[in-house]
Structure formats: C-alpha cells, structure tokens
C-alpha cells in the first residue's frame, strides 16, 4: 500500500473556532482520517501538514512510529507548538489506515482494550451559553444564577455524573472571565472575583447535590497567588478538580501543595518530554492530555509515564465526534484514566460532520469496535461547512 495524497479540511463550527482535519488517501482505497490541532490560527497548522504530507507521497503508510520519528527529526528547527500538532494530524490519520487495513480498532493493535465504556463529563457547562451562543445552540439564555442551576440539572437529568465549567457571569448579556479580564493584563484575583467564583460553585453544588463531580477550568487566568486563594476558597465545595494551565511546573506544584482542592493540568503540554518535568515535580493530581494536539503514540507514552508516577489521565476532548473517537480509543488502551471530557454544546452541526456518533448512556460512552477510529469525517458535510477564514 502506498500513500497517494495528504489533504486537510478546515470546518467552521458556529461561534467557536474552526476544526482541522487531515485526510490521507492510499492506492489500496483505504482512507485515513484524523482531527488534529487547535482552532486558533488554523492556516499555519494546515500549511505544515501540507508541507510534511509531500514527504510521505509514495511511501507505505504502515510503519506509523517510523513516520512520526522522521517528521519529528525533520522539523527540529521548527519544533513544538503548531508543528507538533501538524505531525499529530498525519500520525493519527496513519493509525486510522493501519487499523482499517488490519480490520480492527486502533487500540487492538496496541494491546487494548482495558475497558468497554468510558465515563465522560459535560464540559464547558453553561460556558458557551455565557459566550452569547445560546441562540446558536437553541437553548435558554443565561441571565440569572437560576439559569446556571438549570444548566446543571440539564446535565444530571441527561445522566452525567460530572461536569466542568468556567467562571461565568450570567446577565444580559452574559459574560465570561475572558470578557471581564479584557484589557486587564494583571489578572488579579480581587476579593469580589473570588466571591463571585465561590457563589457560582455554591449554586452549582446546590443544584448538583453532593456526589456529582464538579470541575472548574481557569485556563491561564490569575497569577499563582490568585489561583492559590481561589483553590483555597473553593475547598468547602469538594471540587472534582480545579484546572489551571501554566508552561512551568513550579507554580502548579506550589498551588497543588497549598490546597486540598485537586489540581488538573497538562493540556498545554505536547509530547512526553514536556510532561516529564511536571511529573518529576508532582505538579498535578490528574494529567490532562490532548490526543488531537500531540498524536496517539505520544499520548500513550505520556499516560504510561503518568502510570509510573501513580497518576490518572483525563483526555482533553472538546471538539468533533472524530476527536471523541480518537480519545475513546486512547482510553481503551491505557489502565489509568480519571474521566474523559465531552462537549455537548460545541457546534450545532457537529452530528453532520462525521459518519458515526458516539454511544452515550448514563454518562458513559461505549468504546468503539469498528476498524480504525470507527468514525470518518463526512467529506460532503466538511465541504458544506468549509471555513472561509
Ligand atoms: Mg482546560
């Protein structure tokens, strides 16, 4: 089998950033699909896939790890970031081809499955609706704390046992933390802001009851001291985790050792080399890993190293169903999963974009059993929703 084409598709999603897909075609009629990278600044990532893809034309797609290492070494002068994501796009599509050629899901090529289903949490609960996207999603606008409590009940009524939100400000219009901090480079966690976050989580805990997992993601907001005060103020609400991203492990280790609120981080890291420093400093309780950003083999290596450090991982997964299938295949292949993300409000036409939908029941998703990822990009729908920039 030989690779005949490496293509990309950029698809608009509504109010959020576009989604990036890689398609690898072969002379055997097998086509590999992947979702990769971030919706931020798509052109660079797509260009890198196209440049790297040219080096693969005419080659056998089968030795995936060898192709990965060749691309990794060839891009040493532009390593990391968008380059890592572009390599991931190709590597993931190659795994899909390998699975389809073997007639088995990707995890079976690597010794899985460890599980038949995977617990998931509803991510960005109320957050997109605070972004002025309630109309787009066809849901009630977020005006009051009661509306926020209704969002929580929507998730628990749907069978979810856990959810994640961001700091939001219901109102008319509702706002997000990003709107509040716009133009404010200091990112201070002033007392009124801490009080607001505590109010939000108290409303959510009241609506959810004591046994539902609640996570709060504050991204890169706040300096270390602000994050520590927030984590301490939220201790009475027994969070599943506080999620906070920094590019250095020391501040995270400082936060983690300063509070009994569990700390999750890692989505900002690409590849096992970057994670290693964070593990050595015990900088998190749970490890976030984004499969479409770093690829399947690296995600597996990170999870294996996390296992040595007695930590479970939580796949970062907030985009299309194809990314969800890639992430489910990842959880099927490793023994140390905390819980997996899924994003109910990500795009109004998400179900149109793939050939298969995940099976979601009682807050768990079934591990796919079809060859490859078990889910293809619908190329007709990708054309219909093509991103124009
Ligand atoms: Mg996050």
């Amino acid at each position: 089998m030989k690779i005949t084409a490496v293509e990309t598709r950029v698809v608009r999603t509504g109010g959020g950033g576009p989604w990036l897909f890689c398609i690898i075609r072969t002379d055997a009629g097998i086509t590999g699909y992947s979702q990769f990278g971030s919706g931020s600044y798509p052109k660079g990532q797509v260009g890198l896939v196209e440049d790297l893809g040219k080096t693969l034309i005419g080659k056998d797609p089968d030795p995936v790890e060898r192709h990965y290492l060749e691309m990794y070494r060839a891009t040493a002068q532009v390593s990391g970031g968008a380059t890592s994501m572009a390599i991931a796009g190709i590597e993931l599509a190659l795994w899909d081809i390998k699975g389809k050629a073997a007639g088995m899901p990707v995890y079976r090529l690597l010794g899985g499955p460890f599980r038949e289903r995977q617990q998931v949490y509803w991510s960005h609960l109320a957050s997109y609706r605070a972004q002025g996207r309630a109309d787009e999603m066809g849901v009630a606008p977020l005006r009051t704390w009661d509306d926020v409590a209704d969002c929580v009940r929507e998730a628990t009524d749907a069978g979810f046992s856990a959810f994640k939100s961001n700091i939001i400000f219901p109102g008319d219009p509702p706002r997000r933390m990003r709107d509040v901090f716009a133009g404010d480079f200091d990112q201070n966690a002033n007392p009124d802001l801490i009080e607001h976050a505590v109010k939000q989580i108290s409303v959510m805990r009241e609506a959810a009851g004591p046994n539902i997992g609640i996570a709060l993601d504050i991204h890169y907001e706040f300096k270390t001291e602000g994050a520590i005060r927030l984590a301490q103020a939220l201790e009475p609400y027994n969070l599943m985790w506080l999620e906070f991203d920094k590019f250095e492990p020391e501040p995270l280790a400082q936060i983690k050792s300063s509070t009994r609120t569990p700390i999750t981080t890692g989505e900002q890291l690409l590849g096992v080399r970057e994670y290693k420093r964070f593990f050595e400093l015990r900088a998190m309780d749970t490890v976030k890993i984004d499969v479409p950003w770093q690829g399947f083999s690296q995600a597996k290596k990170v999870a294996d190293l996390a296992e040595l450090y007695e930590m479970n991982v939580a796949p970062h997964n907030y985009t299309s169903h194809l990314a969800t299938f890639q992430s489910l295949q990842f959880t099927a292949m490793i023994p140390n999963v905390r819980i997996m993300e899924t994003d109910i409000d990500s795009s109004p036409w998400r179900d149109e974009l793939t050939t298969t939908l995940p099976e979601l029941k009682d807050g768990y998703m079934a591990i796919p059993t079809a060859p490859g990822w078990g889910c293809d990009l619908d190329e007709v729908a990708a054309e219909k929703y093509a991103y124009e920039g």
Side-chain angles (χ1 to χ4, degrees), residues 38-53:
S38 161
S40 302
Y41 309 105
K43 281 185 189 168
Q45 296 164 75
V46 164
L48 282 157
V49 169
E50 288 167 1
D51 286 347
L52 286 164

Side-chain angles (χ1 to χ4, degrees), residues 164 217 219 243 245 267 288 316:
K164 186 170 84 183
D217 190 350
H219 305 295
E243 190 166 328
D245 301 328
E267 70 184 57
K288 213 70 189 297
H316 183 225

Side-chain angles (χ1 to χ4, degrees), residues 13 27 29 60 126 182 188 205-206 255 268 310-311 362 374 388:
T13 60
D27 64 358
D60 181 353
N188 282 318
R205 177 54 79 200
E206 172 79 24
I255 295 165
Q268 74 279 28
E310 295 294 338
M311 287 186 291
D362 301 329
E388 305 296 345

